[in-house]
């Protein structure tokens, strides 16, 4: 389509002012060349597969149902660019490392001394008034863990987060110190409490991001076509609202339109005299979207999910920071990989297999173009996936990565031979088992006696 548009541009008839015409043609060709480059870049990103790693040109940009002029452009669907992370963001996960024996409590919640935290930083909190002048709670010993941060408190303002591990308090190392001693050290210190804290992937459950799917009636505002049209809407974990003509189009066709909900205004609307109607006014532009649900319960479901997307919590799980850092490294610079080698990934839209050099590390599969490529092209967060060997088409042995829910993507990989496939399957299963759903970790943790101090 881009080629045909460029050809049309080149064949524009010359006007009397030849210079002006030449200039306008060159501008148009340059514009399409830029868009073509953007399109190619987006296709390059898509080689790792999955909706959350694509930056695509939206169909709605070219042919909006409301017949409005919208600039053709790119949108980033996920802040974790290059990774397919939807299943990770759909639930809370905690890291238990190699403690896969059911007789042991998860490493993330065990009493064992902890290794050095993955990310360390200094937090300074000004002492306030009242019984809890700093506004946070700590629990446990060796290590001491921040388990609560009060809203609008000095601790929240200083950037303290639930899951942070106390490493030092007012210059004194507390990693091997009993809980009560560390609390007294803080209380007896100056009014500015200075702490070195660390964030550890195994003690910092990720917060699920909003998602919602279903049919809604959307009001069209075109001067030609007015009324309500039934459309399939998908609110992604990235906070973007997609809609399609039919449910079957999701994952197969480009969305008719994509709208960013962050900062938008949403709420029930009674101005149209129709029940179960709610509206959305995006922050960018001056459009108003009107939606109609089938029931009050359905309307509330959408409003609750959309409200979370409108007011997102911008706080990366430490694991996201770690994996994004790893993508900047050469493949062999990632420490202690669980498996590495060549894998072919099936691109189902084209029915072709794309070769990658892959590194598996702690539930993340990194894709590189070659052994010497930097940075990584992208990857998959594998939490919750089920690994099995399947036959697919002409290939007798294929690695299937199946998600726990149909709304997420299934991936197919293939190594050089059957033995290599089995080696990868064993490694993938062990790597995925390092992660636990938060509710399961909590069940294993309930009987542990608590030490806690409100600061």
């Amino acid at each position: 389509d881009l080629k045909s548009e460029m050809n049309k541009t080149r064949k524009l008839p010359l006007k009397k002012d030849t210079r002006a015409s030449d200039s306008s043609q060159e501008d148009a060709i340059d514009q399409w060349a830029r868009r073509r480059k953007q399109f190619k870049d987006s296709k390059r990103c898509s080689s790792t597969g999955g909706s959350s790693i694509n930056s695509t040109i939206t169909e709605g940009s070219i042919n909006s149902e409301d017949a409005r002029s919208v600039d053709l452009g790119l949108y980033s669907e996920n802040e974790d660019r290059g990774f397919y992370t939807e299943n990770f963001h759909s639930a809370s996960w905690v890291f238990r490392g190699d403690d896969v024996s059911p007789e042991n409590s998860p490493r993330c919640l065990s009493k064992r001394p902890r290794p050095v935290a993955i990310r360390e930083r200094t937090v300074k909190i000004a002492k306030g008034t009242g019984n809890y002048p700093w506004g946070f709670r700590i629990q446990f010993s060796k290590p001491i863990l921040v388990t609560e941060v009060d809203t609008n408190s000095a601790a929240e303002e200083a950037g303290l987060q639930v899951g942070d591990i106390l490493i030092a308090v007012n210059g004194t190392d507390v990693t091997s110190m009993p809980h009560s001693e560390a609390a007294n050290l803080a209380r007896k210190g100056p009014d500015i409490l200075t702490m070195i804290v660390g964030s550890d992937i195994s003690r910092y459950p990720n917060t699920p991001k909003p998602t919602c799917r279903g049919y809604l009636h959307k009001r069209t505002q075109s001067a030609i076509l007015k009324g309500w049209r039934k459309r399939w809407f998908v609110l992604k974990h990235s906070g973007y609202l997609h809609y399609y003509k039919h449910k079957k189009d999701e994952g197969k066709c480009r969305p008719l339109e994509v709208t960013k909900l962050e900062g938008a205004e949403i709420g029930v609307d009674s101005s149209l005299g129709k029940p179960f109607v709610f509206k959305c006014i995006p922050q960018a532009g001056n459009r108003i979207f009107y939606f109609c649900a089938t029931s009050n319960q359905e309307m509330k479901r959408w409003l609750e999910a959309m409200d979370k997307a409108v007011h997102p919590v911008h706080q990366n799980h430490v694991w996201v920071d770690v994996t994004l850092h790893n993508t900047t490294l050469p493949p062999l610079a990632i420490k202690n990989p669980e498996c590495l080698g060549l894998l072919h990934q099936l691109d189902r839209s084209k029915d072709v297999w794309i070769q990658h050099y892959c590194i598996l590390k702690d539930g993340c599969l990194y894709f590189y173009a070659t052994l010497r490529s930097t940075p990584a092209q992208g990857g998959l967060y594998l939490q919750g996936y089920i690994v099995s060997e399947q036959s697919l088409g002409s290939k007798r042995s294929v690695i299937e990565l199946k998600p726990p829910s149909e709304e997420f993507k299934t991936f197919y990989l293939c190594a050089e031979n059957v033995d290599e496939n089995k080696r990868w399957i064993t490694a993938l299963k062990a790597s995925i088992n390092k992660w636990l759903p938060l509710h399961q970790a909590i069940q294993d943790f309930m009987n542990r006696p608590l030490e806690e101090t409100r600061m």
Side-chain angles (χ1 to χ4, degrees):
D1 291 341
L2 292 173
K3 284 181 181 178
S4 63
E5 288 293 340
M6 288 181 70
N7 290 333
K8 290 177 185 177
T9 307
R10 292 192 180 102
K11 294 176 184 178
L12 288 172
L14 292 174
K15 296 183 179 179
K16 290 182 181 179
D17 188 347
T18 307
R19 290 181 182 177
S21 177
D22 289 344
S23 174
S24 63
Q25 285 187 39
E26 288 174 4
D27 290 344
I29 292 171
D30 287 344
Q31 185 181 19
W32 278 107
R34 285 194 300 271
R35 291 174 181 174
R36 179 182 175 83
K37 183 178 183 302
Q38 289 177 326
F39 179 76
K40 282 185 174 180
D41 290 343
S42 72
K43 296 299 275 185
R44 197 175 299 119
C45 289
S46 71
S47 62
T48 50
S51 62
S52 7
I53 61 177
N54 285 344
S55 293
T56 59
I57 299 175
T58 67
E59 182 179 330
S61 302
I62 304 169
N63 183 24
S64 172
E65 284 197 335
D66 294 338
R68 290 175 178 265
S69 175
V70 183
D71 289 337
L72 185 70
L74 299 176
Y75 72 93
S76 177
E77 198 180 285
N78 195 308
E79 61 186 17
D80 312 329
R81 194 171 183 182
F83 283 87
Y84 183 79
T85 65
E86 278 199 296
N87 192 49
F88 175 78
H89 287 314
S90 70
S92 293
W93 298 89
V94 290
F95 186 73
R96 64 174 175 178
D98 298 317
D99 294 345
V100 294
S101 170
E103 296 163 359
N104 296 330
S105 62
R107 189 170 78 116
C108 57
L109 300 171
S110 70
K111 283 187 175 182
R112 257 186 260 178
R114 301 289 302 143
V116 177
I118 287 174
R119 182 180 64 185
E120 296 180 8
R121 67 191 190 282
T122 300
V123 175
K124 294 185 177 183
I125 307 175
K127 188 174 184 179
T129 58
N131 295 328
Y132 312 113
W134 289 292
F136 67 97
R137 183 195 300 270
I138 56 174
Q139 292 182 339
F140 319 122
S141 294
K142 302 178 184 180
I144 299 165
L145 182 69
V146 176
T147 56
E148 186 178 338
V149 178
D150 295 344
T151 304
N152 299 323
S153 65
E156 184 183 61
E157 187 176 340
L160 193 67
Q161 298 175 351
V162 172
D164 283 340
I165 295 169
L166 266 61
I167 297 171
V169 174
N170 293 330
T172 302
D173 188 303
V174 297
T175 53
S176 300
M177 187 178 290
H179 175 97
S180 56
E181 288 184 27
N184 289 332
L185 188 66
R187 290 194 183 104
K188 292 177 182 178
D191 288 347
I192 301 295
L193 176 61
T194 303
M195 301 187 297
I196 297 177
V197 299
S199 299
D200 187 333
I201 58 173
S202 64
R203 286 186 174 268
Y204 186 16
N206 60 305
T207 303
K209 297 183 179 180
T211 181
C212 204
R213 281 171 166 81
Y215 278 108
L216 290 171
H217 284 83
K218 174 183 170 293
R219 185 170 182 253
T220 60
Q221 298 171 330
S222 168
I224 302 172
L225 298 172
K226 292 186 178 181
W228 297 84
R229 290 186 177 182
K230 188 177 181 181
R231 293 289 180 254
W232 177 255
F233 282 85
V234 179
L235 174 56
K236 295 276 190 174
H237 300 287
S238 58
Y240 284 86
L241 183 66
H242 301 225
Y243 75 86
Y244 305 83
K245 196 169 184 180
H246 304 290
K247 179 180 179 179
K248 64 181 181 182
D249 295 337
E250 183 188 348
K252 296 181 181 178
C253 306
R254 290 178 183 169
L256 296 174
E257 198 159 352
V258 177
T259 304
K260 183 180 180 181
L261 293 189
E262 183 177 353
E265 294 180 30
I266 61 167
V268 178
D269 185 90
S270 56
S271 63
L272 301 177
K274 190 176 176 70
F276 318 132
V277 171
F278 57 103
K279 65 182 178 182
C280 172
I281 308 174
Q283 195 173 37
N286 56 0
R287 295 183 62 184
I288 302 178
F289 292 92
Y290 292 94
F291 307 107
C292 183
T294 54
S295 66
N296 191 50
Q297 184 178 359
E298 183 73 358
M299 181 179 70
K300 285 183 177 179
R301 181 175 76 94
W302 275 100
L303 285 174
E304 286 176 6
M306 291 174 73
D307 185 64
K308 292 178 182 177
V310 168
H311 305 100
V313 178
H314 292 291
Q315 183 174 305
N316 268 0
H317 186 279
V318 183
W319 183 230
V320 175
D321 292 341
V322 171
T323 52
L324 291 180
H325 170 71
N326 285 347
T327 61
T328 65
L329 303 175
L332 300 183
I334 297 179
K335 295 180 180 179
N336 304 317
E338 291 145 21
C339 201
L340 51 84
L342 292 174
L343 282 176
H344 294 79
Q345 184 210 345
L346 177 62
D347 182 343
R348 303 188 76 178
S349 63
K350 300 177 183 176
D351 197 25
V352 295
W353 292 84
I354 302 170
Q355 179 177 284
H356 304 286
Y357 189 83
C358 296
I359 301 287
L360 176 65
K361 171 70 174 173
D362 292 338
C364 183
L365 185 63
Y366 299 86
F367 292 128
Y368 291 84
T370 67
L371 176 60
R372 294 177 176 82
S373 298
T374 304
Q377 295 173 312
L380 305 177
Y381 280 17
L382 297 171
Q383 289 85 352
Y385 271 79
I386 298 170
V387 186
S388 63
E389 187 177 22
Q390 303 287 343
S391 59
L392 189 68
S394 60
K395 293 185 180 291
R396 288 194 218 169
S397 178
V398 172
I399 303 168
E400 182 187 64
L401 296 172
K402 192 171 183 179
S405 171
E406 291 182 358
E407 66 180 293
F408 306 121
K409 289 189 175 294
T410 300
F411 294 90
Y412 294 96
L413 305 169
C414 186
E416 299 298 307
N417 53 57
V418 174
D419 289 337
E420 275 291 284
N421 269 355
K422 290 180 179 177
R423 180 175 75 92
W424 273 101
I425 287 172
T426 301
L428 286 164
K429 287 180 178 179
S431 193
I432 292 170
N433 280 341
K434 291 185 175 185
W435 291 86
L436 270 181
L438 178 60
H439 65 85
Q440 185 178 337
I442 289 174
Q443 285 178 355
D444 296 335
F445 175 67
M446 289 300 288
N447 295 328
R448 178 177 169 183
L450 296 180
E451 298 176 271
E452 67 174 22
T453 302
R454 191 73 181 268
M455 304 297 291

